[in-house]
Amino acid sequence: MTGTTQEVALKVVTWNVNSVRTRLDRLLAFLEREDADIVCLQELKASEDRFPSEAIEAAGYHFAINGQKTYNGVAVLSKSEPREISCGMDDSDWDDQARLLGVTVDGVRVYSAYFPNGGSIGSDKWEFKLGWIRRLKQYLADHHDPGDKLLVCGDSNVAIADSDVANPKRWADTVLFAEAARAALKDLMDWGLIDVFGKLNPDGGIYSWWDYRQLAFPKGDGLRIDHILATEPMAQLASEARVDRDERKGKQPSDHAPVIVTFDLS
DNA sequence: ATGGTTGCTTAGCAA
């Protein structure tokens, strides 16, 4: 940080990297460029022993990981040392899928969450998705208070509003935008979570994911399905929110772009 | 268009 003021900002990122090893060069360049304080990653597609620990640490970050071979996998990178690390929802035998990781950093409870995609509507994966979102709400209710400083950052695999979908009519009957999925996410947020990006960019039209197929990115056929959800004490500190759309361009991009929110803590 | 592209793992699954 430059300048002479003493403001204390916390820059938080969420990014579904779709394989941390394939995306390592991009990730390291991003860390260098953005100098974020907290970076929540999803879809590592790597177990802990294949996570690029040395490169992350050399970039100046601590990390906590809930890894998994081939599928899923989440991590939190942080400038400050993470405390009270928790993997999964510790309430059942459903947690064979590595989709949730919690850490406490700089006095803020931060979760990196990779919500289930849901396959197709009506499938077992669809029911798992809706149930997983309900379980996450229960987990938050059991462990935290809406008055805490808390963030749920991740790929929610649900778009909230019509303005978060380039073509809402065409996506209306898909797992990413079906009414039941939107209702499940709304019910989770009703516990006490605010979409700070939506709050700061109320006009919408900004997306975080574009399908690899059918030229979705050049056509602008995107959805905002990556969210930084904040409790009220955190949401009121959010000052800027953007998507690093350039990360979807060029060679070997993830299908998701990073979402970046700055909180003014002082 | 029950299509299409990418990644992990090696033909099929998941997204």
Side-chain angles (χ1 to χ4, degrees), chain A residues 41-48 65-69 71-75 87-89 94-101 112-116 128 132:
Chain A
L41 302 176
Q42 300 87 37
E43 272 206 274
L44 303 176
K45 297 186 173 179
S47 50
E48 183 161 7
I65 174 172
N66 181 5
Q68 184 178 336
K69 184 183 176 183
Y71 303 118
N72 310 312
V74 291
C87 287
M89 296 191 227
W94 289 30
D95 278 335
D96 52 326
Q97 298 186 24
R99 294 183 176 277
L100 189 70
L101 174 71
S112 181
Y114 177 45
F115 290 42
F128 179 75
W132 193 92

Side-chain angles (χ1 to χ4, degrees), chain A residues 144-221:
Chain A
H144 302 293
D145 186 274
D148 297 344
K149 285 187 174 178
L150 181 148
L151 303 174
V152 176
C153 307
D155 174 4
S156 65
N157 268 313
V158 181
I160 293 173
D162 279 5
S163 61
D164 298 323
V165 182
N167 192 335
K169 283 180 183 164
R170 196 156 47 69
W171 287 90
D173 295 325
T174 71
V175 292
L176 301 182
F177 201 48
E179 196 52 51
R182 299 170 68 184
L185 182 58
K186 181 182 186 306
D187 183 61
L188 167 65
M189 293 172 66
D190 282 346
W191 173 74
L193 295 172
I194 295 155
D195 163 31
V196 293
F197 190 101
K199 178 183 175 185
L200 292 170
N201 299 281
D203 294 340
I206 303 169
Y207 313 121
S208 66
W209 173 84
W210 301 259
D211 200 298
Y212 281 129
R213 296 166 289 189
Q214 319 224 185
L215 299 172
F217 183 67
K219 287 179 182 171
D221 185 16

Side-chain angles (χ1 to χ4, degrees), chain A residues 42-167:
Chain A
Q42 300 87 37
E43 272 206 274
L44 303 176
K45 297 186 173 179
S47 50
E48 183 161 7
D49 59 303
R50 302 198 68 181
F51 184 78
S53 312
E54 294 84 357
I56 298 298
E57 287 170 343
Y61 286 87
H62 300 271
F63 68 90
I65 174 172
N66 181 5
Q68 184 178 336
K69 184 183 176 183
T70 310
Y71 303 118
N72 310 312
V74 291
V76 180
L77 318 184
S78 54
K79 289 285 185 70
S80 303
E81 191 173 345
R83 316 258 180 205
E84 302 172 271
I85 297 165
S86 66
C87 287
M89 296 191 227
D90 66 38
D91 64 339
S92 75
D93 54 3
W94 289 30
D95 278 335
D96 52 326
Q97 298 186 24
R99 294 183 176 277
L100 189 70
L101 174 71
V103 302
T104 302
V105 180
D106 299 327
V108 182
R109 186 66 182 165
V110 179
Y111 287 93
S112 181
Y114 177 45
F115 290 42
N117 172 280
S120 56
I121 290 176
S123 66
D124 289 348
K125 288 193 178 74
W126 171 246
E127 295 303 327
F128 179 75
K129 176 180 192 168
L130 300 178
W132 193 92
I133 298 171
R134 285 193 295 270
R135 288 174 59 223
L136 179 57
K137 182 184 184 183
Q138 187 61 53
Y139 178 88
L140 294 175
D142 288 345
H143 292 78
H144 302 293
D145 186 274
D148 297 344
K149 285 187 174 178
L150 181 148
L151 303 174
V152 176
C153 307
D155 174 4
S156 65
N157 268 313
V158 181
I160 293 173
D162 279 5
S163 61
D164 298 323
V165 182
N167 192 335

Side-chain angles (χ1 to χ4, degrees), chain A residues 1-9 265-266:
Chain A
M1 189 170 293
T2 58
T4 56
T5 54
Q6 292 292 316
E7 78 266 17
V8 180
L265 296 184
S266 57

Side-chain angles (χ1 to χ4, degrees), chain A residues 17 19-31 52-53 55-56:
Chain A
V17 289
S19 172
V20 70
R21 285 169 290 162
T22 294
R23 228 63 66 197
L24 183 58
D25 288 349
R26 275 185 180 265
L27 175 60
L28 295 174
F30 177 85
L31 295 176
S53 312
I56 298 298

